[in-house]
Amino acid sequence: MSNKSFLGKSIVSIRDLTKEDLDTILEEAERMESIVNSGKRPLEGKIMAALFLEPSTRTRLSFEAAMHRLGGAVITVSDPKSSSAAKGESLSDTIRTIANYCDIIAMRHPMEGSARLAAEFSSVPIINGGSGAEEHPTQALLDLYTLKKELKIVEGKRIAMVGDLKYGRTVHSLAYTLSKFKKVKIDFVSPPSLRIGEEIKSDLRDAGNEFTEGGSLMEIVPTADAIYMTRIQKERFAQESEYAKVKYAYVLNKKLLEKAKGPIPILHPLPRLNEIAYDVDDTVHAVYFRQIFNGVIVRMALLNLILGGKV
Ligand code: CP
């Protein structure tokens, strides 16, 4: 998609975006860095609905902040119990309704395929802010933007992804995104029960990207150019006993990072539990806080491209 062809389009899956699309979004995000505090209002008169039927802090608030920064207005459902979904309304009816009130819908839903379904029924563009354990495309875009800012060049880098690789929707979207970059090597580190799915591995093989599986934090810290940590997600386990077996599987701390080859960036989509020790927060590695701000920038870029803001 060129700038022009993002107009009016939904962002449902990272798989719908080409390498050229990714480059366009990254370029627009760079432009947004200079606009964020400029007082310019390219989306004045536009309304974004945030429909979040699963908990969120960063995704919903950064979408809302992005729309406000661009001069647009926001309407929100942040508590599933406060919407008529709690009365049993179908997602398709909810979407058809909300589309009457706004110009674009950013949504999160616990069901896989929910964003695709919403896009089919919506008369306004849908942006997927997380669909079950499946995908989180805007997180992948802000992760990519962060890696690009921190590493300068993504091609040829060795990136470790650690934690819940089975249910981690951010991992699924980011691993696919990285398959678009030549010679990126990924080290997948997870408990055996939370390994990355075959589809992603197949994508990487098809794209000619190398990957490893099953290593430990001790092994990957010295070789990584960047580490993407993720939370073991209690809410995705049917049995709490299964979660208990793996919840402390990986804890990255300052001592372990002494073995790193340099000031390598540590990313995390957040929220974190115990997988990054608090003693990492005051080191050069703690990029996860800068990553949060990049979420606003990248979501500004998407909203502006889709709604055709002129700046
Ligand atoms: N990264 C992320 O999706 O965070 P939230 O769940 O707080 O939106």
Side-chain angles (χ1 to χ4, degrees):
M1 285 187 246
S2 66
N3 267 25
K4 212 169 174 184
S5 57
F6 272 94
L7 261 184
K9 292 277 160 62
S10 292
I11 305 286
V12 167
S13 166
I14 202 75
R15 290 170 183 276
D16 299 336
L17 301 177
T18 63
K19 174 70 166 55
E20 189 195 355
D21 296 335
L22 297 176
D23 291 340
T24 300
I25 294 165
L26 294 182
E27 277 164 29
E28 183 75 354
E30 269 173 35
R31 249 161 45 80
M32 292 296 129
E33 297 262 7
S34 63
I35 284 159
V36 64
N37 288 317
S38 69
K40 290 186 178 161
R41 303 175 64 79
L43 295 188
E44 186 152 26
K46 301 284 187 190
I47 299 175
M48 181 192 79
L51 173 66
F52 277 65
L53 301 180
E54 211 186 41
S56 168
T57 297
R58 280 146 289 270
T59 310
R60 182 173 66 82
L61 292 179
S62 62
F63 263 119
E64 294 191 7
M67 193 63 179
H68 284 296
R69 293 283 189 199
L70 292 165
V74 174
I75 53 175
T76 291
V77 173
S78 60
D79 176 3
K81 292 194 207 87
S82 75
S83 94
S84 287
K87 300 177 197 161
E89 184 173 58
S90 66
L91 179 60
S92 55
D93 281 0
T94 300
I95 291 293
R96 275 199 270 225
T97 302
I98 294 176
N100 284 278
Y101 307 144
C102 63
D103 301 288
I104 191 163
I105 300 172
M107 66 175 279
R108 173 172 290 185
H109 194 283
M111 189 177 78
E112 296 183 14
S114 50
R116 181 79 61 200
L117 181 88
E120 279 168 24
F121 284 93
S122 181
S123 56
V124 299
I126 296 285
I127 308 184
N128 182 3
S131 46
E134 174 194 46
E135 276 238 33
H136 196 343
T138 65
Q139 180 70 44
L141 293 170
L142 80 90
D143 294 338
L144 176 64
Y145 186 64
T146 305
L147 284 170
K148 188 103 193 288
K149 265 174 93 170
E150 300 295 327
L151 299 173
K152 310 299 175 223
I153 299 167
V154 174
E155 283 85 357
K157 299 296 184 194
R158 188 163 183 173
I159 296 167
M161 305 182 93
V162 181
D164 178 356
L165 309 184
K166 181 178 178 182
Y167 301 114
R169 58 192 172 198
T170 67
V171 169
H172 303 160
S173 295
L174 180 59
Y176 179 79
T177 304
L178 291 174
S179 75
K180 302 276 182 205
F181 290 81
K182 286 192 174 52
K183 295 193 174 157
V184 168
K185 181 170 181 179
I186 306 184
D187 295 299
F188 293 115
V189 180
S190 71
S193 60
L194 296 176
R195 290 238 162 117
I196 194 85
E198 283 305 318
E199 190 183 10
I200 302 283
K201 289 193 274 186
S202 170
D203 289 331
L204 291 167
R205 279 190 206 102
D206 291 350
N209 294 91
E210 286 180 49
F211 63 88
T212 70
E213 263 190 295
S216 66
L217 273 180
M218 291 262 279
E219 285 165 320
I220 58 97
V221 165
T223 56
D225 293 305
I227 303 178
Y228 190 81
M229 295 296 294
T230 65
R231 174 175 67 96
I232 307 286
Q233 302 175 94
K234 187 178 178 184
E235 67 273 25
R236 306 282 179 217
F237 287 79
Q239 309 272 348
E240 189 156 346
S241 56
E242 292 303 307
Y243 168 69
K245 284 182 199 163
V246 291
K247 68 178 179 180
Y248 296 122
Y250 304 104
V251 181
L252 185 61
N253 58 31
K254 196 171 175 174
K255 182 95 190 130
L256 267 171
L257 283 166
E258 284 170 9
K259 303 272 185 246
K261 62 171 138 179
I264 62 165
I266 309 299
L267 283 72
H268 193 310
L270 303 177
R272 80 170 141 181
L273 294 181
N274 45 37
E275 58 281 354
I276 301 179
Y278 283 90
D279 67 3
V280 180
D281 291 359
D282 59 3
T283 71
V284 290
H285 303 287
V287 165
Y288 35 95
F289 294 124
R290 291 202 286 280
Q291 197 180 347
I292 298 169
F293 177 71
N294 292 339
V296 178
I297 295 297
V298 167
R299 289 174 177 123
M300 283 175 72
L302 286 174
L303 291 167
N304 206 52
L305 285 169
I306 296 169
L307 294 174
K310 301 273 183 295
V311 275

